[in-house]
Amino acid sequence: MKDGVNGVALGVFIFFFVAVTVVGFLAARWRRADNAATLDEWGLGGRSFGTWVTWFLLGGDLYTAYTFVAVPAAIYAAGAAGFFAVPYTILVYPLIFTFLPRLWSVSHKHGYVTTSDFVRGRFGSKGLSLAVAVTGILATMPYIALQLVGIQAVLDVMGVGGSGSNWFVKDLPLLIAFAVLAAYTYSSGLRAPALIAFVKDGLIYIVILVAIIYIPIKLGGFDDIFAKAGHAFSQTNPATGKPRGALAPGAAGQWGYATLALGSALALFMYPHSITATLSSRSRNVIRRNTAILPLYSLMLGLLALLGFMAIAAGIKVKNGQLAIPQLFENMFPDWFAGVAFAAIGIGALVPAAIMSIAAANLFTRNIYKDFIKPGATPAQEAKVSKLVSLVVKVGALLFVLAMDPTVAINFQLLGGIWILQTMPALVGGLFTRWFHRWALLAGWAVGMVYGTLAAYGVTSPTQAHFGGSSKEIPGIGQIGYIGLTAFVLNVVVTLVLTLVLNAVKAPAGIDETSPEDYTADAGDEGVQVELPPATEAAPAAH
């Protein structure tokens, strides 16, 4: 590790940071509508983005600084088990091809801004809608915090903010980054991360392509890299008494690997920020095209994961695994290009953090504030509340990072993945059938949430007594698997059984304000109904 501040790398980092800040504020004028004081404009970019803007926005949204830092860090720590992120991002795109166009169409038709809007309209249930909204907000908060952890890791390696005489000096660079992010998100809404995503993804692709060629040359080629990594993984971990990891998962880890990949794939597009980026598209065909070209990011992710092996081969030694890749870049690259790499990670945190805070704010505004606090809120009032809540969300995430160990933030993000998966039966199930009963969906959600939380609470690690991971023995099977997927199966079983019972006793099913043709509507069809009609005024449609 180099001593002191890396002035050249810091200078390059500041240059790109200032550049994207300017872009973020200028974005307020990009494709601006006459009336910008609505959630459609501030929170969804006017639902006007085409194929390429949506592609960069979704890529910037899903492939974050946490991805850049944590995926290779997982491989650095434990070996090829960390590659689970690659198959799950391959699995997810055929999956979303089946339901995202339907969600876009019905949301376009009825002016839905959030998944909870759809759930409320489909099932006529504010309670179920509230459950989905609260889950989305809870799952998003630690995810935002992790983006700030990514920035913090880069600043530490550059020698800025890693130490100081008091907490204010130590955390000042992160506070400045947070303040800038909050300011241009408040001003420009979703348009800011949409424009910045072009810079972010361009930098990431450049850094990964250079790294995958330049670093192996310096380390003697991939043969030496894998040999050194294999030797390192064979060494005993003093904390566990077992080998540190493996170049390929053993038989005992296959259930865990497969269930984690599948569960993560099912959960990814349940996150509010994924849906926010999706609903900003101008047509359902934009969504369909994006599901075809987004796998290009999976190729990038596979190359990115290899950096974990390279960090081992380069002899990187860090106490916090999240610093492994930034430290690899500083050790292997010239200072100026290390600055480019750090800027890619830093901007890779700003884009998703902005989208996530907007998504969480939209959920609060539409499905808590408007549904339960002020039903008569005007579009302008909704936009104002959402802007303010987006600031509150960022402050909460910042306090979480400053007050807690980064490892805790990571484990809470894993818990968020378990939680958000429990919203899938209501969202995806509702897109294809009205058969599920709203009370059964709510009960299934509750069972999945309780089981998932309690199971995760009981997982220990060498450093934590609770919430030490996201895998545990699957009841009835005896194999170690992803807790979120087990909770999801329990959720579905409860939902199916209770739906049969409730339908049999003719329990009130709620009023469906949608119709079958809404799920295939495109931008050329009837105009968007920005205001949600009250559920009691809509005609039921069972399908």
Side-chain angles (χ1 to χ4, degrees):
M1 182 178 290
K2 300 177 182 178
D3 295 327
V5 176
N6 188 332
V8 174
L10 179 61
V12 174
F13 179 88
I14 291 174
F15 168 79
F16 281 106
F17 188 85
V18 170
V20 298
T21 299
V22 173
V23 170
F25 283 110
L26 291 178
R29 303 179 182 180
W30 177 50
R31 298 183 179 181
R32 187 181 182 125
D34 293 335
N35 180 16
T38 67
L39 280 190
D40 263 21
E41 288 299 326
W42 183 82
L44 293 181
R47 303 183 193 252
S48 63
F49 298 151
T51 300
W52 287 112
V53 175
T54 302
W55 186 71
F56 279 104
L57 183 63
L58 278 170
D61 191 11
L62 303 176
Y63 298 87
T64 67
Y66 173 59
T67 309
F68 208 126
V69 170
V71 171
I75 292 169
Y76 169 83
F83 271 100
F84 82 92
V86 178
Y88 104 64
T89 59
I90 294 171
L91 287 170
V92 72
Y93 299 118
L95 177 70
I96 64 175
F97 186 86
T98 64
F99 73 84
L100 275 191
R102 293 178 67 85
L103 178 62
W104 183 94
S105 291
V106 71
S107 299
H108 167 80
K109 194 76 173 180
H110 290 271
Y112 299 148
V113 175
T114 68
T115 53
S116 292
D117 282 349
F118 165 71
V119 168
R120 177 197 166 192
R122 180 61 150 158
F123 296 101
S125 173
K126 286 186 178 181
L128 183 59
S129 170
L130 178 65
V132 172
V134 170
T135 305
I137 294 170
L138 288 176
T140 301
M141 289 292 291
Y143 220 150
I144 300 172
L146 281 183
Q147 308 316 310
L148 301 182
V149 168
I151 297 178
Q152 196 174 48
V154 166
L155 294 173
D156 285 352
V157 170
M158 285 192 295
V160 180
S163 61
S165 57
N166 57 61
W167 70 268
F168 182 76
V169 173
K170 173 179 178 293
D171 296 320
L172 181 60
L174 188 62
L175 293 171
I176 294 172
F178 159 80
V180 171
L181 168 67
Y184 68 63
T185 304
Y186 185 92
S187 170
S188 304
L190 194 65
R191 287 176 170 84
L195 277 185
I196 295 172
F198 284 88
V199 180
K200 173 254 187 189
D201 289 351
L203 286 176
I204 285 181
Y205 271 106
I206 290 171
V207 169
I208 291 177
L209 288 175
V210 171
I212 208 70
I213 296 171
Y214 178 77
I215 295 178
I217 290 174
K218 292 197 68 174
L219 294 176
F222 279 102
D223 283 350
D224 284 353
I225 290 172
F226 287 125
K228 291 177 181 177
H231 175 72
F233 289 137
S234 67
Q235 304 302 305
T236 300
N237 184 339
T240 63
K242 299 178 181 179
R244 170 179 166 183
L247 284 176
Q254 290 175 2
W255 270 85
Y257 184 93
T259 55
L260 181 57
L262 177 58
S264 300
L266 296 176
L268 184 59
F269 273 82
M270 300 300 104
Y271 278 104
H273 56 279
S274 303
I275 300 301
T276 295
T278 299
L279 297 185
S280 69
S281 306
R282 66 181 176 214
S283 74
R284 66 184 274 124
N285 281 333
V286 167
I287 304 301
R288 294 162 69 89
R289 284 193 290 269
N290 265 273
T291 60
I293 59 178
L294 275 169
L296 286 173
Y297 281 100
S298 297
L299 173 63
M300 177 198 74
L301 185 60
L303 298 176
L304 173 64
L306 292 174
L307 296 177
F309 294 137
M310 296 180 198
I312 295 173
I316 301 297
K317 303 291 185 183
V318 290
K319 294 182 179 179
N320 177 2
Q322 307 304 309
L323 300 178
I325 302 312
Q327 193 62 56
L328 174 70
F329 289 159
E330 182 173 58
N331 289 6
M332 303 302 294
F333 287 146
D335 287 347
W336 70 270
F337 195 77
V340 174
F342 295 152
I345 298 174
I347 298 170
L350 297 178
V351 171
I355 304 171
M356 290 170 189
S357 65
I358 290 170
N362 288 347
L363 280 170
F364 175 85
T365 301
R366 289 300 284 262
N367 309 115
I368 298 177
Y369 175 75
K370 185 170 183 178
D371 278 353
F372 296 96
I373 300 174
K374 191 171 184 179
T378 65
Q381 288 172 329
E382 287 180 9
K384 182 178 180 180
V385 169
S386 200
K387 286 182 177 182
L388 293 174
V389 173
S390 74
L391 297 180
V392 173
V393 167
K394 293 188 191 72
V395 170
L398 181 66
L399 293 176
F400 189 84
V401 170
L402 297 181
M404 302 185 77
D405 186 272
T407 304
V408 177
I410 292 169
N411 287 330
F412 272 104
Q413 193 276 328
L414 294 175
L415 183 60
I418 294 170
W419 288 340
I420 201 65
L421 184 52
Q422 308 317 310
T423 65
M424 188 177 187
L427 175 59
V428 179
L431 287 170
F432 291 95
T433 180
R434 187 60 168 77
W435 181 77
F436 296 112
H437 197 282
R438 54 182 177 165
W439 297 346
L441 286 166
L442 189 57
W445 166 85
V447 168
M449 291 287 286
V450 171
Y451 171 82
T453 304
L454 292 178
Y457 179 82
V459 177
T460 61
S461 73
T463 57
Q464 285 186 236
H466 303 290
F467 300 115
S470 58
S471 294
K472 195 172 185 178
E473 183 175 305
I474 305 171
I477 295 178
Q479 298 286 344
I480 300 297
Y482 178 45
I483 293 170
L485 194 60
T486 305
F488 173 73
V489 171
L490 291 174
N491 181 344
V492 171
V493 170
V494 170
T495 299
L496 289 172
V497 172
L498 286 183
T499 294
L500 287 170
V501 173
L502 292 168
N503 286 345
V505 301
K506 301 189 184 310
I511 296 176
D512 180 7
E513 69 182 23
T514 71
S515 58
E517 58 271 16
D518 294 346
Y519 295 86
T520 55
D522 209 341
D525 300 337
E526 288 180 34
V528 177
Q529 302 171 25
V530 176
E531 289 298 317
L532 287 175
T536 55
E537 298 176 5
H543 53 88

